[in-house]
């Protein structure tokens, strides 16, 4: 049985700041060697050349190395997933997952948070956007599930991944070996990598059958309701973190999920929080959370028909500000209005992640006696 999980959200005060992680360790709230995953938002442009992800990654790994006993190579293997771009009111932050000894966590037979991690086989540039990538991701998700102690796919509520996108260098590499790539537009390959990965998650969890190459990025009726996929230049494998619930693990945290049907669907966010185990009124307000919400994790995507709630918008036609940034700012504002906390994980490029124009939502709550979630300052 996996060990109980402690999960905390910390602010990032500047692009290279990891003081929040350092403080958690110094206060004894987590141990450096027990950190098993970090998922965070950095303040860059969210694009192919968003190097804030690399800067933040280095800062957090340096703290783990300095304050723990793991070797540099061991620290390098800790899954740390960064989503770039804090457009609008989204605040830079990181959510830290760490194991704790079983005898230090509340014992319960109720479902509690569990986390599993796996790396896929190497993903070649010519496989991005094709069924070979779908298959490799699906295999890694199954391994991560097993490591999390999850046997029922219904207990998986959030799968966070990081996968490679295409760069000029990797496109050239594929061509040198006589291979073709799905696209030669590197920014488009971000959406492509995310969408293909989501299909792999959906296959692993039995949400869909194995798709064809022609369905990738074209048949938006195929999606996962728990996938949250990011991509970048810093790896050549799928990094997979499966988060769910299991009985007998113990601890104080629990996760739930739902989907937003469109960019304004606040009910989808609230439903994920209720699904995690909080008892809320029929028309809840962020003041009802009382510090029990640790974080919410969302993916968002502009609707392919260019409408929200029946009204036309111009995001897809805007040549000045890419739709990635516009929809992220929009959904970030909607989410912060629900939670009362601008430090929310909202990531764009949600092809095959939730319904078209919407996206998956996962929520982690603290069911302990002294909840550790954010409480906004009193007015």
């Amino acid at each position: 049985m996996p060990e109980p999980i402690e999960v905390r959200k910390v602010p990032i005060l500047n692009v290279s700041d990891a003081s929040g992680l350092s403080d958690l360790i110094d206060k004894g709230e987590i141990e450096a060697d027990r950190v098993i995953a970090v998922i965070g938002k950095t303040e860059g442009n969210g694009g192919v050349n968003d190097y804030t992800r690399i800067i933040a990654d280095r800062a957090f790994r340096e703290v783990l190395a300095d304050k723990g006993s793991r070797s540099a190579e061991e620290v390098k293997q800790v899954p740390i997933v960064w989503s770039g771009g804090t457009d609008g009111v989204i605040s830079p932050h990181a959510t830290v997952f760490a194991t704790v000894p079983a005898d230090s966590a509340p014992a319960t037979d109720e479902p509690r948070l569990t986390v599993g991690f796996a790396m896929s086989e190497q993903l070649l540039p010519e496989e991005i956007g094709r069924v070979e990538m779908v298959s490799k991701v699906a295999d890694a998700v199954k391994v991560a599930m097993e490591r999390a102690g999850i046997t029922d796919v219904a207990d998986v509520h959030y799968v966070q991944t990081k996968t490679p996108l295409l760069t000029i260098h990797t496109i050239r590499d594929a061509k040198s070996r006589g291979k073709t790539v799905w696209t030669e537009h590197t920014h488009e390959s971000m959406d492509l990598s995310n969408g293909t990965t989501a299909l792999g998650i959906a296959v692993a969890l039995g949400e869909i059958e194995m798709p064809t190459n022609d369905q990738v990025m074209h048949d938006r009726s195929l999606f996962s309701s728990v996938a949250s996929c990011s991509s970048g230049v810093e790896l050549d494998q799928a990094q997979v973190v499966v988060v769910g619930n299991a009985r007998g693990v113990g601890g104080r945290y629990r996760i739930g999920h739902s989907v937003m049907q469109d960019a304004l669907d606040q009910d989808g966010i609230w439903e994920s929080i209720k699904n995690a185990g909080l008892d809320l009124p029929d028309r809840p307000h962020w003041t009802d959370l009382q510090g029990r919400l640790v974080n919410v994790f969302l993916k968002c995507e502009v609707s392919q028909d260019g409408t929200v709630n029946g009204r036309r918008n111009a995001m897809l036609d805007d040549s000045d500000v890419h739709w990635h940034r516009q929809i992220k700012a929009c959904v970030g504002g909607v989410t912060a209005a629900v939670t009362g906390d601008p430090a929310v994980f909202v990531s764009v490029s949600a092809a095959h992640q939730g319904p078209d124009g919407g996206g998956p939502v996962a929520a982690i709550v603290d069911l302990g006696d002294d909840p550790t979630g954010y409480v906004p300052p009193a007015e």
Side-chain angles (χ1 to χ4, degrees):
M1 178 65 65
E3 292 182 297
I5 300 294
E6 184 72 23
V7 54
R8 299 294 184 94
K9 180 168 63 179
V10 297
I12 295 178
L13 305 179
N14 59 64
V15 71
S16 60
D17 174 53
S19 62
L21 173 61
S22 183
D23 289 345
L24 285 177
I25 297 169
D26 290 344
K27 292 176 181 178
E29 295 174 6
I30 63 171
E31 296 179 30
D33 289 345
R34 285 183 169 272
V35 172
I36 57 171
V38 178
I39 299 171
K41 290 293 299 182
T42 67
E43 59 203 81
N45 60 26
V48 175
N49 65 332
D50 184 352
Y51 300 112
T52 65
R53 296 185 297 236
I54 296 175
I55 295 170
D57 193 83
R58 177 177 297 174
F60 272 67
R61 292 188 194 278
E62 285 177 352
V63 169
L64 294 180
D66 290 344
K67 294 185 176 293
S69 61
R70 288 185 285 195
S71 67
E73 187 58 33
E74 289 172 322
V75 168
K76 187 178 179 181
Q77 299 306 311
V78 176
I80 300 183
V81 179
W82 298 107
S83 170
T86 50
D87 303 81
V89 299
I90 300 172
S91 184
H93 68 280
T95 304
V96 181
F97 298 82
T99 62
V100 295
D103 58 5
S104 68
T108 176
D109 289 329
E110 291 298 309
R112 288 295 183 266
L113 187 74
T114 182
V115 178
F117 166 68
M119 295 289 284
S120 76
E121 295 180 32
Q122 181 183 12
L123 296 168
L124 300 174
E126 62 267 25
E127 295 176 334
I128 297 174
R130 292 166 177 156
V131 293
E132 291 85 356
M133 182 177 183
V134 174
S135 181
K136 288 182 178 181
V137 169
D139 289 343
V141 171
K142 293 174 183 177
V143 171
M145 269 186 64
E146 183 178 355
R147 291 175 177 172
I150 298 174
T151 56
D152 187 344
V153 294
D155 291 325
V156 176
H157 294 277
Y158 178 53
V159 182
Q160 177 64 59
T161 63
K162 191 75 173 187
T163 50
L165 46 72
L166 293 170
T167 66
I168 296 301
H169 172 74
T170 57
I171 292 170
R172 187 180 301 126
D173 169 64
K175 288 182 175 181
S176 73
R177 293 181 285 104
K179 304 295 184 180
T180 63
V181 292
W182 199 93
T183 180
E184 294 191 21
H185 297 283
T186 57
H187 198 270
E188 181 184 32
S189 77
M190 179 182 297
D191 298 334
L192 175 67
S193 182
N194 292 354
T196 312
T197 302
L199 292 173
I201 294 168
V203 168
L205 300 181
E207 295 177 284
I208 64 170
E209 299 295 327
M210 177 65 75
T212 66
N213 281 332
D214 290 340
Q215 289 176 304
V216 177
M217 300 301 288
H218 295 299
D219 186 352
R220 296 301 181 101
S221 70
L222 302 179
F223 64 83
S224 171
S225 61
V226 298
S228 178
C229 306
S230 295
S231 51
V233 299
E234 60 268 34
L235 72 175
D236 63 0
Q237 297 168 275
Q239 184 174 265
V240 178
V241 180
V242 166
V243 189
N245 296 315
R247 293 184 182 275
V249 173
R252 54 195 291 171
Y253 301 96
R254 184 166 168 170
I255 187 170
H257 81 277
S258 185
V259 295
M260 292 179 73
Q261 297 298 326
D262 59 47
L264 302 179
D265 182 17
Q266 295 188 33
D267 289 342
I269 303 172
W270 282 118
E271 183 57 36
S272 73
I273 299 170
K274 292 177 182 179
N275 186 248
L278 289 194
D279 186 16
L280 296 169
D282 289 340
R283 294 182 63 83
H285 184 262
W286 61 260
T287 53
D288 297 313
L289 296 172
Q290 299 292 308
R292 293 201 175 276
L293 180 64
V294 178
N295 206 1
V296 286
F297 305 83
L298 300 89
K299 291 294 292 189
C300 58
E301 177 90 350
V302 66
S303 176
Q304 296 296 295
D305 66 5
T307 67
V308 176
N309 269 0
R311 293 287 194 179
R312 183 178 74 90
N313 65 72
M315 281 186 280
L316 288 172
D317 293 324
D318 194 329
S319 297
D320 295 316
V321 181
H322 195 276
W323 67 263
H324 275 194
R325 311 202 71 165
Q326 297 190 49
I327 194 67
K328 191 189 308 176
C330 169
V331 175
V334 170
T335 307
V338 168
T339 65
D341 182 2
V344 289
F345 186 92
V346 177
S347 177
V348 76
S349 187
H352 300 300
Q353 298 154 76
D356 182 37
V361 191
I364 296 176
V365 300
D366 184 343
L367 301 175
D369 295 333
D370 186 18
T372 58
Y374 181 73
V375 177
E379 294 183 354

